[in-house]
């Protein structure tokens, strides 16, 4: 894994701060899994559980953020991040290689207001990306018992979440409202069954949509 980054910060007094930067990430890994059974006095490779895979991923990102104290009781933070991701995954056992490109923007916004010593309000919005890890993707095999095993899912997509939050404080009382919407949410260790087999498989999968509401 190779990572490089560059950041720039500009301030003007105590009220204004501007940050900008760029980051590049290059990762490459090879995953070889060989599963053999002892048949007729010799070890025979089982193609159902054996796989050789190589993965290359390039992430390029740039961001700009601003922090502005409008007055002693009012603050505003805003930012925007752009990301470009290139993913290439090659499997030895199939010609169905994965070549995927993702281009997207991820804004953030935070506003706070102190009305007086007893009342304050904050509003926030952010959009984020959560990428599957190597453990989620790699076509490894972990046998739990003869009929159950854990494996990776090479078809996983990154999860994109959008979150809105509002907090109101009155003296020592806090009222919080939050809504989060996640596309392609990643759920780990989800069970399935191999076709025409009694074997159960646990792997990570994408949900089309996940929504969460929170009132506190």
């Amino acid at each position: 894994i190779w990572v490089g980054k560059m950041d720039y910060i500009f301030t003007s007094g105590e009220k204004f701060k501007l940050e900008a930067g760029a980051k590049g990430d290059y990762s490459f890994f090879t995953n070889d899994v060989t599963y053999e059974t002892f048949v007729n006095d010799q070890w025979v490779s089982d193609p159902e559980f054996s796989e050789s895979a190589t993965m290359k991923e390039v992430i390029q990102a740039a961001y700009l953020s601003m922090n502005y104290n409008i007055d002693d009781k009012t603050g505003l933070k805003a930012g925007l991040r752009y990301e470009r991701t290139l993913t290439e995954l090659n499997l030895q056992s199939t010609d169905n290689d994965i070549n995927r490109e993702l281009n997207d923007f991820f804004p953030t916004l935070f506003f706070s207001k102190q009305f007086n010593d007893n009342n304050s309000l904050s509003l926030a919005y952010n959009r984020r990306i959560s990428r599957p890890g190597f453990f989620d993707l790699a076509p490894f095999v972990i046998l739990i018992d003869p009929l159950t095993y854990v494996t990776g899912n090479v078809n996983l997509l990154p999860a994109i979440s959008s979150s809105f939050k509002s907090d109101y404080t009155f003296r020592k009382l806090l009222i919080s409202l939050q809504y989060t919407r996640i596309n392609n949410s990643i759920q780990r260790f989800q069970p399935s069954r191999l076709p025409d087999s009694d074997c159960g498989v646990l792997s990570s999968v994408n949900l089309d949509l996940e929504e969460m509401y929170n009132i506190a």
Side-chain angles (χ1 to χ4, degrees):
I1 300 176
W2 295 85
V3 179
K5 61 180 297 186
M6 177 179 63
D7 298 295
Y8 172 77
I9 300 176
F10 171 79
T11 58
S12 177
E14 297 182 354
K15 286 192 173 184
F16 183 77
K17 182 179 181 180
L18 180 70
E19 297 182 62
K23 182 178 180 180
D25 183 301
Y26 172 83
S27 59
F28 177 84
F29 86 94
T30 300
N31 185 80
D32 290 303
V33 177
T34 301
Y35 180 84
E36 297 179 336
T37 55
F38 197 65
V39 180
N40 297 328
D41 297 328
Q42 62 178 348
W43 290 101
V44 178
S45 177
D46 187 341
E48 184 70 36
F49 300 103
S50 300
E51 183 62 272
S52 178
T54 59
M55 177 178 172
K56 179 175 70 174
E57 187 171 62
V58 178
I59 302 173
Q60 301 165 334
Y63 77 93
L64 180 68
S65 67
M66 177 268 295
N67 188 348
Y68 179 48
N69 295 321
I70 300 173
D71 53 42
D72 293 340
K73 296 183 178 181
T74 309
L76 177 65
K77 298 179 182 179
L80 182 64
R81 178 183 176 90
Y82 166 75
E83 289 194 14
R84 177 174 182 259
T85 305
L86 300 172
T87 304
E88 180 181 317
L89 181 61
N90 300 312
L91 303 175
Q92 187 181 54
S93 63
T94 178
D95 294 330
N96 188 23
D97 297 335
I98 295 175
N99 291 280
R100 186 182 300 137
E101 179 176 352
L102 172 68
N103 295 275
D104 214 334
F105 290 91
F106 302 94
T108 60
L109 182 64
F110 178 80
F111 173 80
S112 62
K113 177 68 175 181
Q114 181 77 37
F115 298 103
N116 51 50
D117 292 340
N118 297 322
N119 294 271
S120 65
L121 174 69
S122 66
L123 303 172
Y125 167 76
N126 66 72
R127 190 168 187 264
R128 301 179 184 274
I129 182 172
S130 299
R131 296 183 180 84
F134 289 157
F135 186 84
D136 299 310
L137 291 168
F140 63 90
V141 175
I142 297 178
L143 295 174
I144 298 178
D145 58 49
L147 295 177
T148 308
Y149 64 92
V150 180
T151 185
N153 180 2
V154 298
N155 295 306
L156 276 180
L157 296 172
I160 306 294
S161 65
S162 296
S163 179
F164 302 85
K165 185 177 182 181
S166 174
D167 292 330
Y168 176 75
T169 302
F170 176 71
R171 295 183 178 177
K172 295 183 179 181
L173 176 65
L174 172 64
I175 301 175
S176 179
L177 305 175
Q178 185 173 4
Y179 167 73
T180 302
R181 177 188 177 96
I182 307 176
N183 295 98
N184 299 323
S185 173
I186 299 174
Q187 302 295 317
R188 294 177 171 84
F189 303 110
Q190 298 302 301
S192 62
R193 187 175 298 276
L194 288 178
D196 303 321
S197 172
D198 292 330
C199 291
V201 182
L202 299 176
S203 63
S204 298
V205 299
N206 287 118
L207 298 183
D208 290 337
L209 178 64
E210 180 180 2
E211 292 183 306
M212 293 181 290
Y213 301 85
N214 182 45
I215 301 176

